Amino acid sequence: MSDRLLRVNAYTTLDLVDGRARGHEFAADAPGVVNVTAPREDPEHVTLQVELDDTAVDALPAHADEIDLSPAQARTLADALNSTADRVEAAQNDDDSV
């Protein structure tokens, strides 16, 4: 990603994920970065950050999306990710046994 807005380093949660940008008039697949962070001092929220490689998405200028979550919202999201991952993993295991 040539013009990153998010800092990517050894502490980045996920780098080089498969992403997709969709709009009313376009859809584009692109590699991306997903990060979860919180302020170092007196954190009041969890920040979820997502950035797609801007060189792969002509319809959008370089940008990163950020969502601030309360601790309860972050846990709700984590629970939803875990249960959905379990469902997908179970489906993949069923496909492997056929």
Side-chain angles (χ1 to χ4, degrees):
M1 294 172 56
S2 62
D3 189 20
R4 282 193 173 135
L5 299 170
L6 297 180
R7 192 177 318 174
V8 177
N9 57 36
Y11 302 105
T12 303
T13 307
L14 298 172
D15 56 334
L16 298 178
V17 297
D18 294 329
R20 182 175 315 103
R22 271 189 314 167
H24 290 293
E25 303 288 326
F26 72 94
D29 293 330
V33 173
V34 178
N35 195 40
V36 177
T37 188
R40 287 182 187 260
E41 295 182 25
D42 299 322
E44 295 181 1
H45 62 270
V46 174
T47 300
L48 175 64
Q49 303 169 312
V50 177
E51 181 179 8
L52 296 180
D53 183 351
D54 65 304
T55 63
V57 184
D58 295 331
L60 294 173
H63 74 287
D65 295 308
E66 296 184 351
I67 301 169
D68 291 337
L69 304 166
S70 69
Q73 290 171 321
R75 287 188 183 93
T76 298
L77 179 60
D79 290 344
L81 287 168
N82 277 321
S83 65
T84 304
D86 289 345
R87 185 169 53 87
V88 170
E89 203 168 52
Q92 290 175 343
N93 289 337
D94 286 347
D95 289 346
D96 291 343
S97 64
V98 174

